[in-house]
Amino acid sequence: MISDLKRNFAEPDSAVGGAEFVGTSLSGGGDSGKETVDRVWGPLKADNPHWKMIDTHRGYHLFAVRRGAVEAEVRVPGTVLQPESPSRAPARFRVVNGVPGVRREA
C-alpha cells in the first residue's frame, strides 16, 4: 500500500502530513494479486482517496533517496513459487521535499 498520511483521517479534506510505503511479505503465503485487491480492498477504495496504490502481490520497493526527493519503484516477481522468476515494476512514485504527499510517476 502506498498512501498519503492525513493529519485527520476522519476529515477527507484534512491536510497531508506525510507519505507511507507498506509492502507485503516477499514470499510468505504464496502468490497473491489483483483478485485479492478487488475482493478485499476494492470496496473500501471510495472511502480512502488517500490511497495511491493498493497491491497485494508479493514484492518489494526500491528507494532512491536524494537531497530533494525520495523516488520509489514497486517491484513484483512473476511468481514466488519459482526460485528465479523475472520481476516487473508496475508503478513508480515520488515524494518531494516540501511538497506533502506521494505523487505517482508511472
Side-chain angles (χ1 to χ4, degrees), residues 5-86:
L5 293 176
K6 298 286 211 160
R7 294 192 188 271
N8 183 348
F9 283 97
E11 296 178 21
D13 293 331
S14 179
V16 174
E20 179 177 45
F21 292 84
V22 178
T24 63
S25 62
L26 185 55
S27 63
D31 288 331
S32 182
K34 186 177 182 332
E35 64 283 348
T36 303
V37 171
D38 291 345
R39 181 176 40 81
V40 177
W41 298 102
L44 304 174
K45 285 182 180 180
D47 293 330
N48 294 285
H50 59 283
W51 291 351
K52 302 300 181 179
M53 181 179 187
I54 298 285
D55 190 340
T56 61
H57 284 96
R58 301 300 172 211
Y60 55 96
H61 301 138
L62 289 177
F63 293 96
V65 180
R66 309 200 189 290
R67 183 174 296 235
V70 173
E71 297 164 355
E73 180 178 84
V74 177
R75 300 294 302 175
V76 177
T79 180
V80 299
L81 303 176
Q82 298 174 356
E84 294 188 31
S85 176

